[in-house]
């Protein structure tokens, strides 16, 4: 690693690891092209968000401690997910408010943890990518990324440099997709209604592709689109910015 390279630990996230590893490959490509040295710790595990959201703070703390131990060595920690990045950046210090030693370590990790698009735009000052996609697209703002991390203009700025891509804004781009982690399991009827409303709003744009930065939201939207027989593509933005769309199929493309 050269003196000016940034030493980055990639927090892959559970959903990316299990369902869409190409998102992690895209994240690595984007950060390496921006001059970073990337490491993916093999012992990394869940950030603890599902446990935390259901009130199981003991298990959430145990998982958080493992994440802290694995990632505190790096200059930066980057996740291709607003919700996972927000868990580490916002909620880890809250988890350890009554544990002074761990609180200090959690706060140190918090200050150097970023969601991928924020890291590229706000830290590395990347304002354009070498990518092309001849499609119309609309962008879904995920709740955690938008409301906890302030992710709004960063993805749009980067997408603006993708050759051939036309971005069409949805009227309710900031509205929840209905996923909410375990919410969609506990309150499936409510979740389905919210997701249908989201799909209706996205389809009204006439866009060929739905993009977003959180795989949970995208899988939820893609699943509902498929069950409705819609033909719109759903993709993670990292794959678009890394110019991988010719190599990687969309998360879903309805039955048509």
């Amino acid at each position: 690693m050269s003196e000016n390279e940034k030493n980055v630990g990639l927090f892959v996230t559970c959903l990316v690891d299990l369902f869409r590893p190409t998102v992690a490959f895209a994240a690595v490509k984007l950060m390496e092209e921006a001059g970073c040295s990337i490491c993916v710790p093999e012992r990394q595990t869940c950030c603890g968000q599902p446990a935390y959201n259901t009130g199981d703070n003991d298990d959430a703390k145990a998982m958080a401690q493992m994440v802290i131990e694995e990632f505190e060595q790096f200059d930066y920690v980057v996740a291709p997910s607003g919700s996972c990045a927000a868990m580490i950046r916002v909620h880890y210090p809250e988890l350890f408010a009554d544990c002074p030693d761990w609180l200090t370590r959690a706060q140190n990790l918090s200050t150097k943890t970023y969601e991928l698009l924020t890291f590229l735009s706000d830290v590395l000052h990347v304002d354009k990518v070498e990518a092309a996609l001849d499609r119309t697209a609309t962008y879904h703002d995920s709740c955690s990324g938008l409301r906890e991390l302030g992710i709004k203009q960063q993805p749009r700025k980067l997408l603006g440099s993708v050759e051939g891509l036309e971005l069409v804004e949805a009227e309710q781009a900031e509205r929840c997709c209905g996923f909410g982690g375990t919410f969609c399991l506990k309150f499936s009827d409510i979740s389905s209604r919210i997701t249908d409303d989201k799909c209706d709003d996205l389809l009204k744009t006439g866009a060929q592709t739905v993009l977003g930065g959180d795989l949970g939201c995208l899988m939820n939207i893609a699943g509902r689109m498929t069950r409705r027989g819609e033909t719109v593509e759903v993709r993670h933005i990292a794959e678009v910015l890394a110019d991988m769309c010719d190599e990687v199929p969309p998360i879903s493309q309805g039955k048509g």
Side-chain angles (χ1 to χ4, degrees), residues 167-202:
L167 192 62
V168 184
E169 291 290 349
E171 291 181 8
Q172 301 291 333
E174 298 181 358
R175 186 171 180 173
C176 178
C177 75
F179 176 57
T182 56
F183 173 83
C184 66
L185 300 176
K186 292 180 177 180
F187 306 101
S188 59
D189 289 345
I190 299 173
S191 173
S192 295
R193 174 60 187 272
I194 295 172
T195 308
D196 272 328
D197 288 346
K198 167 59 69 170
C199 289
D200 289 343
D201 186 57
L202 295 170

Side-chain angles (χ1 to χ4, degrees), residues 16-181:
V16 169
D17 183 37
L18 294 171
F19 296 106
R20 194 74 172 179
T22 48
V23 172
F25 298 143
V28 170
K29 181 175 184 284
L30 288 166
M31 289 189 288
E32 285 184 340
E33 289 177 347
C36 297
S37 174
I38 313 299
C39 179
V40 184
E42 293 184 3
R43 289 186 66 248
Q44 68 174 290
T45 184
C46 178
C47 65
Q49 182 184 173
Y52 179 77
N53 288 345
T54 54
D56 184 3
N57 282 359
D58 289 340
D59 281 341
K61 282 183 176 179
M63 286 181 271
Q65 286 170 337
M66 180 174 287
V67 171
I68 292 170
E69 289 173 342
E70 286 299 301
F71 283 91
E72 59 187 353
Q73 62 181 297
F74 298 106
D75 299 330
Y76 297 95
V77 179
V78 176
S81 161
S83 62
C84 294
M87 180 65 193
I88 299 172
R89 189 174 178 93
V90 178
H91 300 298
Y92 275 17
E94 296 173 354
L95 263 181
F96 295 106
D98 58 349
C99 307
D101 292 341
W102 279 103
L103 175 59
T104 298
R105 297 172 72 177
Q107 289 173 330
N108 289 339
L109 191 68
S110 167
T111 60
K112 57 184 180 181
T113 297
Y114 294 87
E115 181 271 343
L116 174 64
L117 304 176
T118 305
F119 184 66
L120 291 171
S121 181
D122 298 352
V123 178
L124 300 180
H125 305 296
V126 174
D127 56 12
K128 64 179 299 184
V129 294
E130 297 297 327
L133 185 64
D134 188 18
R135 309 283 284 176
T136 54
T138 191
Y139 191 84
H140 163 66
D141 296 295
S142 297
C143 294
S144 291
L146 175 67
R147 293 168 177 84
E148 294 184 303
L149 300 178
I151 303 169
K152 179 68 177 181
Q153 296 306 321
Q154 298 93 331
R156 290 165 172 81
K157 179 178 73 172
L158 292 168
L159 286 171
S161 69
V162 176
E163 184 180 352
L165 183 69
E166 179 186 355
L167 192 62
V168 184
E169 291 290 349
E171 291 181 8
Q172 301 291 333
E174 298 181 358
R175 186 171 180 173
C176 178
C177 75
F179 176 57

